[in-house]
Amino acid sequence: QISSVAVWIESPYFDDDQRVALALADSLTRMADRSDDPVPDDLWAAVTARYDERQVSALLLQIGTLNLFNRLNVAVKEQADRPSWKQG
């Protein structure tokens, strides 16, 4: 599954629950690409139908945390394939 996350929409390796979580992550990560509601009502309904309040909270916090670190790494030009702490 890890190797097909980038193409999760076309990939057969994710179940419906995972697809909803990935759609939420995609919507929250790519907010600037949307002129309308970043998290459409139908997506939010699908999320809350599949996950309880605690799970939704965990998803939102995890997505937000990953987005935070990605943006910080962009700002400081940290590269995943060449982390600064391994360069000498």
Side-chain angles (χ1 to χ4, degrees), residues 36-50:
D36 57 343
D37 186 10
V39 181
D41 291 341
D42 60 332
L43 174 56
W44 187 252
V47 169
T48 57
R50 286 177 168 76

Side-chain angles (χ1 to χ4, degrees), residues 8-20:
W8 67 268
I9 292 173
E10 296 89 14
S11 174
Y13 304 118
F14 299 98
D15 64 28
D16 290 340
D17 291 344
Q18 293 168 324
R19 289 181 182 286
V20 167

Side-chain angles (χ1 to χ4, degrees), residues 2-4 10-11 21-22 34-35 37 53 61 63 84 86-87:
I2 291 290
S3 63
S4 61
E10 296 89 14
S11 174
L22 289 165
R34 301 182 66 115
S35 60
D37 186 10
E53 187 175 336
L61 286 171
I63 294 165
S84 61
K86 288 190 176 182
Q87 295 178 23

Side-chain angles (χ1 to χ4, degrees), residues 20-87:
V20 167
L22 289 165
L24 179 63
D26 203 43
S27 289
L28 291 172
T29 301
R30 302 180 59 96
M31 290 190 306
D33 295 346
R34 301 182 66 115
S35 60
D36 57 343
D37 186 10
V39 181
D41 291 341
D42 60 332
L43 174 56
W44 187 252
V47 169
T48 57
R50 286 177 168 76
Y51 297 102
D52 64 27
E53 187 175 336
R54 179 176 250 169
Q55 292 170 317
V56 171
S57 297
L59 277 171
L60 291 172
L61 286 171
Q62 185 64 43
I63 294 165
T65 301
L66 290 171
N67 282 328
L68 168 70
F69 283 110
N70 285 335
R71 283 160 176 75
L72 290 173
N73 284 334
V74 167
V76 299
K77 299 184 180 2
E78 189 69 37
Q79 296 179 11
D81 62 336
R82 290 184 294 137
S84 61
W85 66 87
K86 288 190 176 182
Q87 295 178 23

